[in-house]
Amino acid sequence: VGSYETIYGGDSNRIHNVQLVAHLVDHKVIAPGTTFSFNDTTGERSAAKGFREAPVIINGELQTGLGGGVCQVSTTVFNAAYEAGLPITSRTNHALYISHYPLGRDATVNYPDIDLKFVNDTGHWLLLRTFVGSSSLYAALYGTPVHRRVETETAPLEEVSAPLVERTPDPTLTKGTTVIEDDGEPARRTSVRRRVYSPSGKLLSDATWYSSYRSEPRVLLVGTKPKPKPQ
């Protein structure tokens, strides 16, 4: 009915988390007229379930936290439901822009408050399957084909504001020396419009998802070490 594939990588802990949560949603059966909830399906992502520490976005900053990599799976499942033309009732973009996800079609989750939800309005049962490779994740929804046609319009990624500049004193650099530690990222935004049509050409739904991404500061190291006196 709908499918999508994303490429993933990172350290071994992140890959472990991607594979673990993919198996938690695998073989999920969705009854006609019911809502799929990512958080309800996986439950809390905890160390007791085998989740490991990996890079994750916390309060708009990239840090290390339990369950990093889970959003790779939620993004892939979101796009499978998107391509199936299913009504998506809950989706949140990441705080920071991630270039390897499809533009404007990323979906972050955080247990229990930020969820991914979509409705099975096909009139038939659906089966969610995930297939995990060494570097890619494939999500597919199986059921009675309804032959919906999905059309997408993606707005360009627009810069909203330049990154702020943070100056950090560095005693290893001489006064008057400035080194760029991080170029930073501007604040950006985009939107995706999806129209879903029946096989006869009737418009079934017309929805737009808006995404706004925070900036990341430009970090400069500023020397504080006195210059050597000339001999």
Side-chain angles (χ1 to χ4, degrees):
V1 177
S3 63
Y4 206 81
E5 183 179 26
T6 60
I7 306 300
Y8 69 87
D11 62 25
S12 60
N13 281 2
R14 185 182 189 278
I15 294 172
H16 168 85
N17 291 337
V18 169
Q19 295 172 342
L20 179 56
V21 78
H23 289 308
L24 289 177
V25 301
D26 191 22
H27 289 99
K28 173 66 177 177
V29 176
I30 309 166
T34 61
T35 296
F36 168 86
S37 163
F38 191 91
N39 282 340
D40 288 349
T41 303
T42 65
E44 184 178 3
R45 275 77 75 178
S46 64
K49 287 185 177 179
F51 285 95
R52 300 174 182 173
E53 298 273 340
V56 63
I57 299 173
I58 301 175
N59 296 325
E61 296 182 358
L62 188 62
Q63 303 178 24
T64 299
L66 192 65
V70 169
C71 295
Q72 181 87 37
V73 182
S74 58
T75 291
T76 311
V77 172
F78 164 78
N79 279 280
Y82 180 102
E83 293 296 339
L86 301 176
I88 297 166
T89 55
S90 179
R91 172 263 173 186
T92 304
N93 62 270
H94 287 77
L96 304 178
Y97 172 65
I98 303 175
S99 60
H100 63 262
Y101 287 150
L103 180 59
R105 289 169 58 174
D106 57 308
T108 188
V109 289
N110 183 60
Y111 190 89
D113 51 337
I114 301 176
D115 203 356
L116 166 66
K117 295 181 180 180
F118 60 84
V119 179
N120 175 11
D121 68 338
T122 66
H124 309 282
W125 290 78
L126 290 175
L127 171 67
L128 173 61
R129 293 299 318 275
T130 59
F131 303 93
V132 184
S134 59
S135 61
S136 68
L137 172 67
Y138 181 79
L141 288 159
Y142 294 94
T144 302
V146 289
H147 303 292
R148 292 176 178 173
R149 177 167 54 90
V150 173
E151 291 186 355
T152 298
E153 293 180 17
T154 304
L157 187 62
E158 178 186 358
E159 291 191 7
V160 178
S161 62
L164 297 175
V165 178
E166 291 185 359
R167 301 178 184 274
T168 303
D170 190 330
T172 66
L173 299 175
T174 57
K175 288 183 178 180
T177 302
T178 302
V179 175
I180 300 174
E181 184 180 50
D182 193 324
D183 286 326
E185 296 286 345
R188 290 176 274 207
R189 65 187 176 193
T190 186
S191 64
V192 173
R193 182 180 182 182
R194 183 190 70 171
R195 296 185 183 92
V196 180
Y197 296 90
S198 70
S200 65
K202 178 184 177 181
L203 180 64
L204 300 177
S205 67
D206 185 348
T208 302
W209 288 270
Y210 297 92
S211 300
S212 296
Y213 305 101
R214 297 183 186 180
S215 65
E216 296 180 81
R218 178 181 173 90
V219 180
L220 302 180
L221 301 180
V222 180
T224 59
K225 184 171 67 173
K227 293 182 178 180
K229 295 181 178 181
Q231 295 181 353

